[in-house]
Amino acid sequence: MTQQQSGQVMERIEIMLHPRSIAIIGASAKLQYGGRFLNNLLEAKYSGSIFPINPRYEELMGVRCYPDVSSLPEVPDLAAIIVPFESTMTVLEECARKGVKTGVIITAGFAEKGTDERKAAQEALCDFTRRTGMRLCGPNCLGIANVKDRIWSCSAALPDIQTIAAGNIALVCQSGASAFGPFLARARDRGLDFSYIISTGNEVDLDTSDFIRYCIHRPEVKSIVAYFEAIRDSDKFRTVAKEALALGKPIVAIKIGRSSAGQRAALSHTASMTGSDQAYDALFKQTGVTRLDDWDEVLDVASLLAKTPPFHKKSIGIVAHSGGVASLLADKCEQIMEVPPPSDTTCQGLEAILKGRGSSANPADITWHAFEEELVDILNLMLNEDAFGGVILGTAGSDNQAKRIIGAAEKTQKPLAMLWTGSEREVKGLKLLQSSQVPVFYSVETLGKAIKASLYYHRIREYYRAGGS
Amino acid sequence: MTQQQSGQVMERIEIMLHPRSIAIIGASAKLQYGGRFLNNLLEAKYSGSIFPINPRYEELMGVRCYPDVSSLPEVPDLAAIIVPFESTMTVLEECARKGVKTGVIITAGFAEKGTDERKAAQEALCDFTRRTGMRLCGPNCLGIANVKDRIWSCSAALPDIQTIAAGNIALVCQSGASAFGPFLARARDRGLDFSYIISTGNEVDLDTSDFIRYCIHRPEVKSIVAYFEAIRDSDKFRTVAKEALALGKPIVAIKIGRSSAGQRAALSHTASMTGSDQAYDALFKQTGVTRLDDWDEVLDVASLLAKTPPFHKKSIGIVAHSGGVASLLADKCEQIMEVPPPSDTTCQGLEAILKGRGSSANPADITWHAFEEELVDILNLMLNEDAFGGVILGTAGSDNQAKRIIGAAEKTQKPLAMLWTGSEREVKGLKLLQSSQVPVFYSVETLGKAIKASLYYHRIREYYRAGGS
């Protein structure tokens, strides 16, 4: 792809995600795909023009309905195609004639069906985009969402869409049901919010690499969560992933198809040939992409990579309110890096606070001092200790505790991460921490994976910066 | 230990967990250790007699207070010792003179301090129990709870104690802050409930093996979660763990001290010499104990082991409402066992329902049929398929969906487990599932570990049943 071509793609994705007007071809009154698309735009209070298209209605959900694309009073920025499979091409041709520049095809039934006829139908979509220059997301996807601007161009079932906050993580996902399902649900559970949610389906035109490239250039995006069944053009992905690395926008990914059963499933899901798993591992490794196998893990690791500076030394200080939690953390961390003893000065500083209770070693067991004012001094002592490249704190408490932790994190150049030892439903303390720059973990396992990912990510960034290739 | 000795231990633990009267030596008005112990009993509406002991009060929280143990109107079944370190022995001697048979020592400051003097003080406690026959839990623990009978003999800070439900998992934990902290909080988050919560601290007398033995003989206990810093008598533990295996009461454990930093911490926490990690691994393996490193994992795996029958074949059927979720599950399962294609009959049965949508292979992608009545037929087809030794379902939905899943699980001898793809906060569907016999997972990673644990657990049970030793 030339730079000019790439420029056009970025421009079109910009339009797709910030359309001033949207046509919904196949809108309907029922809350199935066509009705949900319209409903989502309305529920999210989309401020642009909405043009439902369906010859059987004069009006849908209070919005004037048009019989076809030709009769629209203006050229919409984005067309959503939610018509029966057989009508897809007719409708697309009509869009092209009208001058529509971008489309999201929700309609399924293409190459994923596995028959020659359906593969040919998908091929025809490719030809169409080349011929007309109209840029497409899909088919067989659930749509795209610009969360910040509340533009939910998607057919997902989303109750309480108004309450979904915008954040710093971009989600680019080949499975629509996963994107608007577990990824969105679990991100909300842990107070992590997305800037964009993009489901790409069969990718006849724009693919995950295109959308990732768009996202890494947006200042509000701090990290990318990606879900792949296949990467169709691995050279293109490598280029984009290296661009992301240079820009300091970490990518954390699930790539399915490790197993033959998973490969079979991907083929019938989005017609993806998943390819050699080892080749993917190598591709991700070369480009600093963290690969994991679980949505919760991917989200928590993306949050740490987005929020914390590098662990500039391979050593860590550990603090907890409980000896048991301290030991658990030490066990996990020592599998990855050093957990060295602190200097005498730090020990003495801690001893002056602990007065014989708990332990001033590393890990430090600070007992009930974790819940008091002096937590600030303890964290400062640990963060200022030269022997530690970062600090992990394991505890759970009040809003006041959270404020002390956030305050300490704001004053340091070192990473400070948190293992939350309380309920994941807690409002006191937890909500504040989740919305702060301190990454919060609920599982020692995942915290370990995140530290490992951060070490690798920053090492490979350094390697390329130093001229590696 | 002779059988008679062991019988006496079981009898005393029975009294400890079902005391008709409790003395709280060191009760106080402040909500610190002594005050919280009294407060917890009151909040949980303990129906026995409570005797707060503190010469400085006539009455505490509305309960008549006594100056010392000698002046009590009767011999309490259980004495809680929450006095300053220096007074521990005096108070214990007084208890012995009064005829008290069991005690929980919350007081800390013994061998975990590391000095000769403090080690000697701990030795003196051992001598005391041998000399007097009084049986002790602790010192340096947070207490014990009989959840079913609402007897919370513990100094933990526990708001809303009335709302804590009783369940089938027993928790035996050397770290009190972990037991009444993350273990309890996370179990409640996932609708898993404990029958007993026992923190054992420095274990001068009764140890984890004693409490585990008691629990495995209780009919309401279906599995045990254990947290070890050290197993002081590995022969004793081996005997108990094999007894648990014979009784079909799975033990799922965290054993800290994998690392040198973790070992340091355990020593200063409950004076535990954690010992060789490889030796522990071998001990656990021999006795069918599942070892994991994370509290959430331990809880979810214990739930599967308690709830489901064995996976009698090393093969599994997978169903999900989304191709993406189906593939993710297939990838994980195929690392552990076969994910074979179903028979033609099963395929045809599924096809008749799916009518060309999704996929009838294994994994099966059943699209929106997961949310409809026909889910029952789909699950029955999968569960009746000879090629599958069990079924995993990945989805999230309504109460009706949950009822369909629970109904299918009740009619089968095969394991049916669930990967919940929605929010962990969901009330619709999830609450019903959590309280059913269907184990619910939130993470593909943990589900994979649970299946692996179940396969191993039942294999080793078979081995011993067949006469292995």
Side-chain angles (χ1 to χ4, degrees), chain B residues 377-457:
Chain B
D377 298 321
I378 293 171
L379 286 176
N380 289 340
L381 280 164
M382 295 293 282
L383 286 162
N384 291 328
E385 167 59 58
D386 273 344
F388 306 153
V391 171
I392 307 291
L393 169 65
T395 193
S398 60
D399 275 356
N400 278 336
Q401 187 196 47
K403 284 176 195 160
R404 289 173 193 132
I405 298 163
I406 295 164
E410 278 166 359
K411 279 198 296 185
T412 180
Q413 299 299 315
K414 290 183 186 174
L416 172 62
M418 172 103 189
L419 176 71
W420 180 258
T421 61
S423 163
E424 293 182 38
R425 267 72 154 167
E426 191 49 79
V427 178
K428 283 179 200 147
L430 184 56
K431 290 280 158 216
L432 276 180
L433 285 163
Q434 285 174 335
S435 62
S436 81
Q437 277 308 98
V438 179
V440 183
F441 291 82
Y442 310 90
S443 138
V444 181
E445 285 290 290
T446 308
L447 176 54
K449 289 182 186 179
I451 295 174
K452 233 168 143 170
S454 175
L455 288 174
Y456 186 76
Y457 176 72

Side-chain angles (χ1 to χ4, degrees), chain A residues 70-303:
Chain A
S70 324
S71 53
L72 291 180
E74 60 180 83
V75 179
D77 275 348
L78 175 67
I81 321 284
I82 320 170
V83 295
F85 167 79
E86 296 73 18
S87 316
T88 319
M89 192 49 90
T90 319
V91 158
L92 278 172
E93 296 286 6
E94 208 188 335
C95 285
R97 277 197 303 276
K98 183 83 180 181
V100 181
K101 297 283 192 298
T102 73
V104 174
I105 308 184
I106 308 289
T107 303
F110 291 86
E112 80 274 13
K113 285 285 151 200
T115 67
D116 287 345
E117 185 206 349
R118 298 304 179 108
K119 285 177 192 164
Q122 180 154 323
E123 217 24 74
L125 290 183
C126 294
D127 291 344
F128 168 84
T129 61
R130 279 187 218 114
R131 182 159 43 84
T132 63
M134 185 172 168
R135 306 305 312 231
L136 298 176
C137 175
N140 188 21
C141 72
L142 268 184
I144 57 183
N146 169 347
V147 186
K148 170 175 56 77
D149 298 319
R150 304 193 163 280
I151 309 178
W152 289 80
S153 313
C154 70
S155 288
L158 293 168
D160 303 324
I161 209 166
Q162 310 86 341
T163 64
I164 304 176
N168 293 324
I169 301 177
L171 172 64
V172 182
C173 185
Q174 289 179 345
S175 164
S178 296
F180 294 98
F183 277 112
L184 180 55
R186 296 303 170 76
R188 298 189 73 189
D189 279 359
R190 46 219 332 113
L192 299 177
D193 301 309
F194 294 119
S195 44
Y196 302 100
I197 303 173
I198 294 153
S199 74
T200 61
N202 293 11
E203 303 184 347
V204 291
D205 178 29
L206 300 175
D207 67 7
T208 27
S209 299
D210 295 316
F211 286 108
I212 290 173
R213 176 174 275 140
Y214 176 82
C215 291
I216 60 179
H217 286 281
R218 299 289 310 185
E220 71 272 25
V221 173
K222 300 294 179 211
S223 63
I224 320 283
V225 165
Y227 172 100
F228 300 104
E229 304 199 335
I231 296 178
R232 288 168 179 82
D233 182 342
S234 58
D235 288 336
K236 184 174 166 187
F237 177 77
R238 186 178 288 109
T239 309
V240 170
K242 283 199 180 171
E243 215 173 304
L245 203 55
L247 290 166
K249 305 285 175 98
I251 301 172
V252 184
I254 292 179
K255 162 70 185 68
I256 59 158
R258 285 193 193 272
S259 67
S260 59
Q263 285 162 17
R264 274 202 310 278
L267 194 60
S268 68
H269 183 220
T270 59
S272 299
M273 293 293 294
T274 52
S276 149
D277 200 61
Q278 289 79 357
Y280 278 110
D281 262 344
L283 174 62
F284 290 144
K285 212 161 175 214
Q286 279 163 24
T287 52
V289 173
T290 303
R291 182 180 184 179
L292 296 162
D293 292 333
D294 190 88
W295 41 64
D296 290 348
E297 279 185 5
V298 159
L299 290 164
D300 290 348
V301 172
S303 162

Side-chain angles (χ1 to χ4, degrees), chain A residues 113 182 186 189 227 256-260 264 269 294 324 327 331 334 356 362 420-425 442 444, chain B residues 113 182 186 189 227 256-260 264 294 324 327 331 334 356 362 420-425 442 444:
Chain A
K113 285 285 151 200
R186 296 303 170 76
D189 279 359
Y227 172 100
I256 59 158
R258 285 193 193 272
S259 67
S260 59
R264 274 202 310 278
H269 183 220
D294 190 88
S327 305
D331 274 355
E334 212 172 80
N362 187 22
W420 180 258
T421 61
S423 162
E424 293 181 37
R425 268 71 153 164
Y442 310 90
V444 180
Chain B
K113 286 285 151 203
R186 295 305 169 76
D189 279 359
Y227 172 102
I256 60 160
R258 285 192 193 274
S259 67
S260 60
R264 274 202 311 276
D294 191 86
S327 307
D331 275 355
E334 214 172 78
N362 187 20
W420 180 258
T421 61
S423 163
E424 293 182 38
R425 267 72 154 167
Y442 310 90
V444 181

Side-chain angles (χ1 to χ4, degrees), chain B residues 19-336:
Chain B
R20 288 158 308 174
S21 53
I22 303 174
I24 308 164
I25 309 164
S28 73
K30 278 195 220 163
L31 282 183
Q32 290 169 352
Y33 292 89
R36 283 204 298 258
F37 198 106
L38 173 58
N39 185 59
N40 287 342
L41 285 175
L42 293 173
E43 283 286 309
K45 306 203 192 311
Y46 171 60
S47 61
S49 310
I50 307 176
F51 303 117
I53 295 182
N54 190 326
R56 282 178 295 158
Y57 298 93
E58 300 259 300
E59 171 264 311
L60 272 169
M61 302 184 197
V63 184
R64 178 174 166 191
C65 195
Y66 295 82
D68 49 36
V69 176
S70 326
S71 53
L72 289 182
E74 61 180 85
V75 181
D77 276 346
L78 175 69
I81 321 286
I82 320 168
V83 296
F85 167 80
E86 296 73 17
S87 316
T88 319
M89 193 49 89
T90 320
V91 158
L92 278 172
E93 297 284 7
E94 207 186 336
C95 286
R97 276 198 304 277
K98 183 83 181 178
V100 180
K101 298 281 190 300
T102 73
V104 174
I105 308 184
I106 308 289
T107 303
F110 291 86
E112 80 273 13
K113 286 285 151 203
T115 65
D116 288 343
E117 183 206 350
R118 297 302 179 110
K119 284 177 194 165
Q122 180 154 322
E123 218 24 73
L125 290 184
C126 294
D127 291 343
F128 168 83
T129 63
R130 278 187 221 115
R131 181 161 44 82
T132 63
M134 185 172 167
R135 306 306 311 231
L136 297 177
C137 176
N140 187 21
C141 72
L142 267 184
I144 57 182
N146 168 347
V147 185
K148 171 173 58 76
D149 298 319
R150 305 193 161 281
I151 308 178
W152 289 81
S153 311
C154 70
S155 288
L158 293 169
D160 302 324
I161 211 166
Q162 310 87 341
T163 66
I164 304 178
N168 294 322
I169 301 175
L171 173 63
V172 182
C173 184
Q174 289 179 346
S175 163
S178 295
F180 295 97
F183 277 110
L184 179 56
R186 295 305 169 76
R188 298 189 73 190
D189 279 359
R190 44 215 339 110
L192 299 177
D193 301 310
F194 295 119
S195 43
Y196 302 100
I197 303 172
I198 294 152
S199 74
T200 61
N202 294 12
E203 304 184 348
V204 290
D205 178 28
L206 300 175
D207 66 7
T208 28
S209 299
D210 295 316
F211 287 108
I212 290 174
R213 176 174 275 140
Y214 176 81
C215 291
I216 59 177
H217 285 282
R218 298 290 309 185
E220 70 272 25
V221 173
K222 301 293 179 210
S223 63
I224 320 284
V225 164
Y227 172 102
F228 300 103
E229 304 197 336
I231 296 178
R232 288 168 179 82
D233 181 343
S234 58
D235 288 335
K236 182 175 169 188
F237 177 76
R238 187 179 288 108
T239 309
V240 170
K242 283 199 180 172
E243 214 172 305
L245 203 54
L247 291 167
K249 305 285 174 98
I251 302 172
V252 185
I254 293 178
K255 162 69 185 69
I256 60 160
R258 285 192 193 274
S259 67
S260 60
Q263 285 162 17
R264 274 202 311 276
L267 194 60
S268 66
H269 182 220
T270 58
S272 301
M273 293 294 293
T274 52
S276 149
D277 200 60
Q278 288 80 356
Y280 278 110
D281 262 343
L283 174 62
F284 290 143
K285 214 162 173 210
Q286 279 162 25
T287 52
V289 173
T290 303
R291 181 181 185 178
L292 296 162
D293 292 335
D294 191 86
W295 41 64
D296 290 347
E297 280 184 3
V298 159
L299 290 164
D300 290 348
V301 172
S303 162
L304 179 127
L305 289 177
K307 288 181 172 183
T308 64
F311 290 82
H312 63 285
K313 277 184 185 173
K314 279 204 70 180
S315 67
I316 200 142
I318 295 166
V319 200
H321 73 273
S322 139
V325 174
S327 307
L328 203 67
L329 279 166
D331 275 355
K332 185 51 65 188
C333 289
E334 214 172 78
Q335 288 170 17
I336 305 160

